[in-house]
Amino acid sequence: MNKYLLLGKLSFGMGDRFGHQGKAQLRACQLATDLGAHFVPVWNKSNREHTFIGTEPSSLRAEADAAVKALGWKKSYHVDADHIRLETVDRFIAPSDFFTIDVADTIGKPASAADVKAFVDRHPELIGTVSIPHIEHPFAITRAEVERVANKFLLATQDAGKIYQHIVKAKGAENFITEVSMDETDSPQTPPELLIILAALADQKIPIQTIAPKFTGRFNKGVDYVGDVKQFEKEFNEDLAVIAFAIKKYGLPPSLKLSVHSGSDKFSIYEPMRRALKKFDAGVHIKTAGTTWLEELIGLAEAGGDGLEIAKEIYAYAMDHVDEFCAPYASVIDIDKAKLPSAAVVNGWSSKQFVSALRHDQKNPAYNPSFRQLLHVSFKVAAKKGDRYLNALKKHEAIVAKNVTENLFERHMKPLLLGVKETVKSSPRREAVPA
C-alpha cells in the first residue's frame, strides 16, 4: 500500500460556500476539543459549488489557513477537494490535501469481462461462508454474487485508481488523504457489497482513509434522517465490522473509517452512531456543507433590517424558481410545495417568524422542513447578490458567527460524540483557546 497523509480518528467536514465562516466553524471544533471530543476540521467545497459561487479552490485554503492563525489552532486540519473527477481535479491539486474521489458516473457500468473474471479469481476468500467478527450471521456469498457486485462496482474502483494515481503524480502520495465516494447512487450498498468494494479498492493500491457508502434511508439536504433508524443502526454497525475486517485482510490503512455525506442535521441517527463508534472504538468522518449556509441566513434574518430584507428576497426568488433549483437535488430533497408559504406571506414576517421557520428545531411548531430545504438549495441566489450579500455577512458577523458555531457544536458535535441531545441553547461565549 502506498504512503499517505494520516487523517485523525474523528474528522468533521465543513462546507462554507461564501468563505466567511471559517473562524466560526473552527470555534466549534475548539469547543468540542475542550470537552474531550477532538474533531479534525476539514474544510470542503466541490467543483460545482466553486462554479456556482465563482470562487477558486485556493480561496478555501486561504480561508482555512486564516481561521487557524486567528484562533491559534495547533492541531491538524485539512482542505478537501470535494466530489472531484479526473476532468475537474487539476485546479484543486495545489491547495488541497484531502481528495474526495467521486465515482458515481461509473457505478453500474460493467468493467471488461476479463477484468471481472480476474478479480473474482483473485479473491476466492469472498466466495462461500464469510464470517466477520461482530456480525451475527456469516455472509453466504456465491461466485455469481461476487461477479454481480464486480460488474456494478469494479469499473468505479478502477476509475478511482486512475484519479488517485493522477493526484499522486502531481502531489506525491504522502501529501494527501483519499476518500472514495459511492453515496450518489440509486440503492444502498449492503455490508457484503462493501466488503467486495474494499477488496477492489485495495487491488488498486489506494490507501483509502474514508469511504462514503450510500446508507439505507434518505439523507435529505438540511433536514433529519428519513427511514428506519433501527435498520440504519444495524447496517452502520455491520459496515464498521466490515471495515475493521478489511483493514486486516487487505492491508488497508488502520485509519480507514466511514464517511457520512449529507451528515448534517441527521439528529435521529447521531445517538445510534455514537453507540456504534464507541462499541468498535472506530473513527468517523462527518461531511456537512449547506447547514452553515442556512445558519448565515438565520443570522441575517435574526439581525433584522437589511439582513432580514436579504433573506426574504432570497426566498422570494427561490419561490419563482422552485423547479429549476430543486431539479439537480431531486434525489436528496422532499419538498411539499403545499407547505411552502407564499413570498407575500414571508415578506410580512418578523425576524422571529423567519428564523423559527428556518432553524432546525423540531420542537418548534413553526419549523418548516420544506421551507428549509428550498432555501438549502437556493444558495445561488445569494451568489447573484454578490457584494451586497457578502457585505451583509461582514456587517452582521457577530450574530451570524454565533449561529454557525452553536449549530455545529451544540446540535452536531455534542450529540455525535458526547451523547448530549441537540439543543438550541446558546453556547458559552469564551475567548478562543489554543486546542
Side-chain angles (χ1 to χ4, degrees):
M1 195 62 63
N2 287 329
K3 296 178 181 179
Y4 52 88
L5 179 65
L6 180 65
L7 176 63
K9 184 176 182 180
L10 304 167
S11 48
F12 203 92
M14 306 179 295
D16 184 13
R17 285 168 179 162
F18 296 97
H20 281 64
Q21 307 310 322
K23 289 187 291 185
Q25 292 171 323
L26 185 57
R27 181 66 183 131
C29 294
Q30 284 187 321
L31 290 169
T33 298
D34 289 349
L35 294 182
H38 173 57
F39 284 96
V40 176
V42 181
W43 280 274
N44 50 256
K45 196 169 183 178
S46 67
N47 187 68
R48 179 169 64 178
E49 289 168 330
H50 280 295
T51 301
F52 284 159
I53 303 298
T55 52
E56 289 294 327
S58 57
S59 66
L60 187 62
R61 166 59 66 181
E63 180 192 1
D65 290 348
V68 164
K69 183 178 180 180
L71 271 66
W73 181 258
K74 302 301 182 185
K75 297 180 182 292
S76 62
Y77 67 100
H78 304 287
V79 173
D80 177 10
D82 196 14
H83 286 285
I84 51 90
R85 303 271 309 133
L86 192 59
E87 61 269 20
T88 58
V89 68
D90 283 345
R91 67 178 181 146
F92 289 88
I93 286 176
S96 306
D97 61 354
F98 187 124
F99 292 83
T100 297
I101 297 174
D102 189 329
V103 294
D105 289 349
T106 43
I107 292 175
K109 295 179 180 179
S112 71
D115 284 350
V116 170
K117 182 179 184 303
F119 172 78
V120 178
D121 289 346
R122 192 161 55 246
H123 291 286
E125 79 284 354
L126 293 171
I127 300 169
T129 300
V130 180
S131 297
I132 294 179
H134 303 292
I135 294 181
E136 183 178 0
H137 300 293
F139 299 152
I141 307 176
T142 64
R143 182 181 178 91
E145 175 66 5
V146 178
E147 290 173 345
R148 181 194 68 80
V149 176
N151 273 306
K152 185 174 183 180
F153 293 107
L154 184 60
L155 185 64
T157 64
Q158 293 172 339
D159 191 23
K162 290 176 184 176
I163 299 169
Y164 168 75
Q165 290 299 338
H166 181 82
I167 302 168
V168 169
K169 289 178 182 177
K171 199 171 183 76
E174 67 278 9
N175 294 317
F176 66 97
I177 293 156
T178 305
E179 169 170 314
V180 174
S181 167
M182 294 195 165
D183 64 311
E184 294 190 0
T185 184
D186 293 337
S187 56
Q189 292 95 32
T190 65
E193 286 177 332
L194 179 60
L195 177 63
I196 296 168
I197 290 166
L198 290 173
L201 289 169
D203 283 354
Q204 294 296 317
K205 307 299 182 186
I206 303 173
I208 181 174
Q209 292 190 71
T210 60
I211 185 165
K214 183 178 178 67
F215 296 103
T216 190
R218 285 183 68 88
F219 283 71
N220 290 335
K221 297 290 186 181
V223 294
D224 204 353
Y225 173 79
V226 179
D228 185 333
V229 174
K230 288 186 177 179
Q231 178 63 21
F232 169 83
E233 182 170 15
K234 178 178 182 292
E235 291 180 9
F236 192 80
N237 274 268
E238 290 183 350
D239 284 348
L240 291 177
V242 165
I243 284 176
F245 179 82
I247 287 170
K248 295 179 179 178
K249 189 74 174 176
Y250 300 115
L252 291 164
S255 51
L256 174 60
K257 58 182 71 63
L258 286 172
S259 179
V260 183
H261 285 201
S262 295
S264 65
D265 298 282
K266 304 303 179 282
F267 301 147
S268 62
I269 61 172
Y270 287 170
E271 176 59 23
M273 287 172 61
R274 188 186 70 83
R275 287 195 297 264
L277 295 172
K278 183 178 180 180
K279 174 183 175 181
F280 285 88
D281 190 25
V284 71
H285 182 63
I286 303 294
K287 186 165 287 192
T288 73
T291 194
T292 287
W293 139 249
L294 291 175
E295 294 303 322
E296 285 185 338
L297 272 187
I298 288 169
L300 291 178
E302 209 164 42
D306 61 334
L308 178 59
E309 181 182 352
I310 288 172
K312 290 177 177 179
E313 289 175 8
I314 290 172
Y315 181 72
Y317 192 96
M319 281 296 288
D320 287 339
H321 299 80
V322 172
D323 293 336
E324 174 191 340
F325 287 174
C326 292
Y329 299 94
S331 64
V332 286
I333 54 174
D334 276 319
I335 293 176
D336 184 346
K337 291 183 180 179
K339 293 182 179 178
L340 291 172
S342 69
V345 167
V346 171
N347 196 48
W349 279 0
S350 65
S351 288
K352 182 178 179 181
Q353 286 174 299
F354 195 102
V355 170
S356 294
L358 183 54
R359 178 176 282 147
H360 194 174
D361 178 7
Q362 296 179 31
K363 297 175 183 177
N364 187 339
Y367 166 60
N368 185 331
S370 293
F371 180 78
R372 182 175 169 87
Q373 288 178 89
L374 176 58
L375 283 170
H376 190 290
V377 300
S378 301
F379 62 93
K380 285 188 289 185
V381 186
K384 288 177 182 291
K385 292 187 176 297
D387 286 344
R388 183 168 172 236
Y389 181 76
L390 299 179
N391 288 336
L393 292 181
K394 295 174 185 175
K395 178 180 177 181
H396 303 294
E397 179 181 0
I399 192 168
V400 171
K402 177 176 178 288
N403 278 286
V404 169
T405 299
E406 287 178 0
N407 176 53
L408 294 180
F409 176 62
E410 294 284 351
R411 296 198 282 278
H412 292 83
M413 295 178 180
K414 282 174 71 174
L416 267 167
L417 284 192
L418 299 172
V420 180
K421 291 185 178 179
E422 60 92 8
T423 69
V424 291
K425 183 181 73 173
S426 295
S427 56
R429 297 190 64 80
R430 295 182 289 169
E431 293 300 314
V433 177

